[in-house]
Structure formats: structure tokens, C-alpha cells
Amino acid sequence: MAAKRSGARGKRSRLTSEPVQEPSGESPLSRERIVATAVDLLDAQGLDGLTMRRLADRLGSGVMSLYWHVDSKEDVFDLALDSVLDYRGPPEMAEPQNWRAEIVHMLEDWRAGMLRHPWSASLLPRRALGPNILGRLERMSKILSRAGVADADMNAAIWSLWNYVMGATVTRASFDLSDDDRAAAQQRLTSERYLTIERSRLLLDNDWDGAFRKGLDFLLDGLSRG
Amino acid sequence: MAAKRSGARGKRSRLTSEPVQEPSGESPLSRERIVATAVDLLDAQGLDGLTMRRLADRLGSGVMSLYWHVDSKEDVFDLALDSVLDYRGPPEMAEPQNWRAEIVHMLEDWRAGMLRHPWSASLLPRRALGPNILGRLERMSKILSRAGVADADMNAAIWSLWNYVMGATVTRASFDLSDDDRAAAQQRLTSERYLTIERSRLLLDNDWDGAFRKGLDFLLDGLSRG
DNA sequence: ACCTGAACACCGTTCAAGT
DNA sequence: ACCTGAACACCGTTCAAGT
């Protein structure tokens, strides 16, 4: 928030992806190693499990050594998140012109990538958009314009898909309750006054993937209509 | 996560809303006062600003006194979030049968309520759904079924709207950058290979409210189609 | 039934220093 | 250029005790 005095040492700027020539020497600590280890730690211990001390331990260094390569713990979060979101594109498409299949593929992959690292969902969205996230937005934009979305609607269309994916993913990651938890929640509905959603078993419905796809279809129908 | 030994003192269970008879005595500490003060503190200092010590200070009590009324800091977050989301319904409607206006009103109010307390967006979604959130879901469900959404589509329809609102709100709350930040981000697009979204000025578009409404219309079109 | 202080086992980051 | 330990100013929560 408030600008932090300086930090203007020789670090590379955050979240850029220019090619880095691997030096032949074996620097024991590097941005790349720190980020990769942070992801491992987050996968193993969750969001609260990542502390600078534990991260340094895993890397075999002192805590403060990390701060040469990285600005702050927030910086580590930004980098770890983006590192989990790279996208290599759809498999060879039967019909390369099928924009709808292409966008569904990317968005399902996006969601799946985040759900493989559930901490990433609670981290989103961050102030800083990394190169992988921007790359996905760029790709979406191209597909949508091939699909005939008008320029005037383009930004709203992109953000509506973004919103949908983010909401779905964040929700799915945090509602991963045990069956008992879900049953208890549903139970509560009966005893109080939520009869309609009790009857439709809103909190018991387990088909997250199907619901994601169905809602996405609603939205794409709306986008391509007219 | 792991069940915490007992805590089975005389506390009321979390997040229920049964009527509470106000006793004539003036207990200096109460669940209600704690939650209200937590909201004030969050509004003033943000998510990281809420600590149990600071909360106790504001209430003029010892830290540990809070734990009589509340299970943990997580519990305080659950309660503070739900307390910010109560809904009194739309103003008297010109056409009471206009389901679309009614749902737009509730969802815009939902988003607005959370944006008034920006910390609430980063808190969502939580594992526990409080009574105000459940009440909104119940209301949505009734409106949608009046709108003719089939029972088989109901849960997917509800979650798709939920996803959209959550994604939009969380994003809007965290992207509240200064104009300088946004300009810098947009600048980065030019220098790298994100030409399409650069050209549409995706990161500069300032009309969040308009984009929210537009995307919501896309989704509602899809939901009510056919 | 409700409140308390002391203590425990941690945090992120600053700083001055080492090589 | 890169790494370090000590120190600072905090955390949430357990526990045993008070009234």
C-alpha cells in the first residue's frame, strides 16, 4: 500500500518474463528456485503454511537471504500464482474454427489448473497480473473477436468470462467440505426458512464440473446471441 | 480444519439468527458488540488491520475475554462478513412481475454492499454460509422459478449468478488501483506481446458498474433464452 | 457465567555486518 | 553481488486462575 522506501537494489522487476540466460555457475538461490519451492510448500501446507522462515528452511538458506531475490512475502504470492497458470493451448482441434470449443477448453483448463493448487484460488485476484494471466486474456480476446463479438462489447465480454471463472473457482476451492459438513449445512436449511433451496438440494449438489459447464454455456449463449 | 478439542462452553452455535431477547443488564461484551466493532475496525484498517488484540482494545476488554463469545479469529471473520450482507428487498416495484429487474436489483445491491466494505470481498467465499447469504440464495431461487427456469436447471442457474457476482466483486475490490498503477500495467502490455487487449484498453476501462451490468445481461439472456 | 494476565510458539521485516 | 544473525515489534491461542 504505502510505498516502501526503496528496495532499488539490482533485482529484476516483478512478474516479467523476458528470457533469462541460465549462467553456468550454480547460484544456490534464485528467483526461480524460490518460486518453485514456494509452490511446493503451498501445495503441501496451504496458504497459512507458507512462511518466509519455512521457505528458507526448505531452501537451506537463511531467512533474510530470500529478500535479496524477492521484495516481500506478497511478491512471493504473486509469483507463485502466475507460475501455476501457464497455458499451452488446446489440443489439435478438429475444427480449428470452433471458437466455442476453444474457449471452453481454455476456461476449463484455467479452472482445473487452479483447483490443482487450491491455495491459488484464495489468492485471486491479485493486484498484479502476471504474464501467464495476461496471455490468457489476450487469447480470449482473439477468440471472441473471431466469434463475432463486437469491439464495443469486447471488454465487457472478457470481464464477464473472467468473473464467471474466478467466482466458480474460488467457490469450488473453498466449499470443499466433507460430506458431513454439507449434510449439516443442508440440515440447517430445513430447520429455518429456506425452503426453496432446501428442496432443490442446493448445498448437496455434488456435480461441480457439470454445473461449471452448464453455467458457462448460459453465459456463452448470451454472448453469442443476436 | 482439525477439530479443536471442545469449546463446548455455553456459547450459541455460530451463524444462527434466532431472535435474542435483549437482557436489561448491560453486559459489556457480547457477540453483537464484538461483530459490530470488528466491522468498524475492518472498515478502518483493512483485513490485516483486524487483530484480536486491537479488537479487544477497542472494546475495552482483555484479549482473552473475546474467546468466551467467539471461537476464533476465523469465527469473527465469518460473522463480520454475513453481518454486512443483509437485504431488505427491492423498493416497491412498478411491475411486481418483473423478475429481471428484481434480480438485477438484488445482485447490484449485493455487489454494492460488499464494495462498501472492500475487505468482505477478499473474505469470500467462506466455508460457512450465514443467514443473510442463505436468505439471498433463497430469494434468487424463488425469483428464477417465477421466471420460468426449469427445476433441472435451477441449481446451475443459481450458482452461475453467484459465480458471476463473486468474481465481479472480488475483482473490482482488488483492482482498485490508482490511475498510475493502471497506466503502468497498460504500458507493460505494449512492450510485450498482448496487442489485442492493449488495443481494446482492457486495463484502462474504468466503467466497472457498466461492465457489471452488461455482463449480467449477457448471463440473464442466456438463462432466460429458449 | 464471564473475564483476566502470563506465557508459548510463532510471525515479517529492518538493520548493520559479513564475504 | 549476494548472504547472514540478531533484534524489533508484533501475532493467535492455551492455560490456570480469578470473581
Side-chain angles (χ1 to χ4, degrees), chain A residues 43 84 86 108-120 169:
Chain A
D43 285 346
V84 137
D86 93 310
E108 287 187 330
D109 173 272
W110 195 336
R111 171 168 174 273
M114 293 182 60
L115 292 181
R116 244 176 274 123
H117 307 276
W119 49 269
S120 68
T169 307

Side-chain angles (χ1 to χ4, degrees), chain B residues 139-168:
Chain B
R139 194 184 278 255
M140 265 174 62
S141 178
K142 280 182 181 139
I143 301 173
L144 289 175
S145 101
R146 254 200 293 128
V149 171
D151 277 5
D153 289 339
M154 187 52 81
N155 286 349
I158 294 177
W159 287 126
S160 70
L161 287 166
W162 161 285
N163 290 338
Y164 181 78
V165 174
M166 289 309 137

Side-chain angles (χ1 to χ4, degrees), chain A residues 205-226:
Chain A
D205 197 337
N206 238 332
D207 183 18
W208 292 91
D209 296 350
F212 177 78
R213 179 59 199 268
K214 215 162 162 179
L216 182 53
D217 279 332
F218 290 142
L219 183 51
L220 292 173
D221 285 346
L223 281 176
S224 60
R225 166 215 55 147

Side-chain angles (χ1 to χ4, degrees), chain A residues 105-166:
Chain A
H105 181 273
M106 191 192 83
L107 297 182
E108 287 187 330
D109 173 272
W110 195 336
R111 171 168 174 273
M114 293 182 60
L115 292 181
R116 244 176 274 123
H117 307 276
W119 49 269
S120 68
S122 345
L123 232 40
L124 254 164
R126 314 234 88 211
R127 307 163 59 95
L129 299 177
N132 285 324
I133 295 178
L134 290 174
R136 284 179 188 254
L137 293 173
E138 172 76 7
R139 193 185 278 258
M140 267 174 62
S141 178
K142 280 180 181 143
I143 302 174
L144 290 175
S145 99
R146 254 201 293 128
V149 171
D151 277 4
D153 288 339
M154 185 54 76
N155 286 349
I158 294 177
W159 286 126
S160 71
L161 288 165
W162 161 285
N163 290 338
Y164 180 78
V165 173
M166 290 308 135

Side-chain angles (χ1 to χ4, degrees), chain B residues 24-217:
Chain B
S24 55
E26 69 302 50
S27 172
L29 227 43
S30 70
R31 222 155 205 268
E32 287 70 24
R33 263 192 80 217
I34 290 175
V35 174
T37 308
V39 170
D40 287 348
L41 188 50
L42 285 162
D43 285 347
Q45 318 257 20
L47 257 198
D48 292 339
L50 178 68
T51 71
M52 297 303 270
R53 285 169 220 258
R54 277 208 271 257
L55 185 51
D57 264 11
R58 283 214 177 194
L59 287 159
S61 78
V63 201
M64 294 316 300
S65 312
L66 304 179
Y67 285 84
W68 179 260
H69 304 271
V70 126
D71 282 340
S72 63
K73 193 183 177 181
E74 281 298 288
D75 198 15
V76 177
F77 280 138
D78 283 344
L79 294 162
L81 175 63
D82 197 71
S83 84
V84 137
L85 287 175
D86 92 311
Y87 183 57
R88 268 174 283 275
E92 53 266 50
M93 305 289 291
E95 307 160 79
Q97 298 302 19
N98 186 349
W99 68 272
R100 190 149 173 152
E102 221 172 309
I103 219 155
V104 167
H105 181 272
M106 192 193 82
L107 298 182
E108 287 188 327
D109 173 274
W110 197 335
R111 172 170 174 273
M114 293 184 60
L115 292 181
R116 243 176 274 124
H117 307 276
W119 49 269
S120 69
S122 347
L123 233 40
L124 254 165
R126 313 234 90 211
R127 306 164 59 96
L129 298 177
N132 285 324
I133 294 180
L134 290 174
R136 284 179 188 253
L137 291 174
E138 172 76 6
R139 194 184 278 255
M140 265 174 62
S141 178
K142 280 182 181 139
I143 301 173
L144 289 175
S145 101
R146 254 200 293 128
V149 171
D151 277 5
D153 289 339
M154 187 52 81
N155 286 349
I158 294 177
W159 287 126
S160 70
L161 287 166
W162 161 285
N163 290 338
Y164 181 78
V165 174
M166 289 309 137
T169 307
V170 168
T171 300
R172 204 273 175 268
S174 76
F175 277 6
D176 199 2
L177 308 178
S178 70
D179 289 345
D180 285 355
D181 289 337
R182 305 258 299 301
Q186 178 76 22
Q187 183 59 35
R188 280 240 321 275
L189 297 185
T190 323
S191 60
E192 306 178 25
R193 60 251 174 284
Y194 309 109
L195 297 179
T196 315
I197 54 177
E198 195 272 326
R199 225 186 39 229
S200 74
R201 304 170 65 78
L202 183 66
L203 302 183
L204 291 179
D205 197 336
N206 237 330
D207 183 17
W208 293 91
D209 295 352
F212 177 78
R213 179 59 199 267
K214 215 161 162 180
L216 182 54
D217 278 332

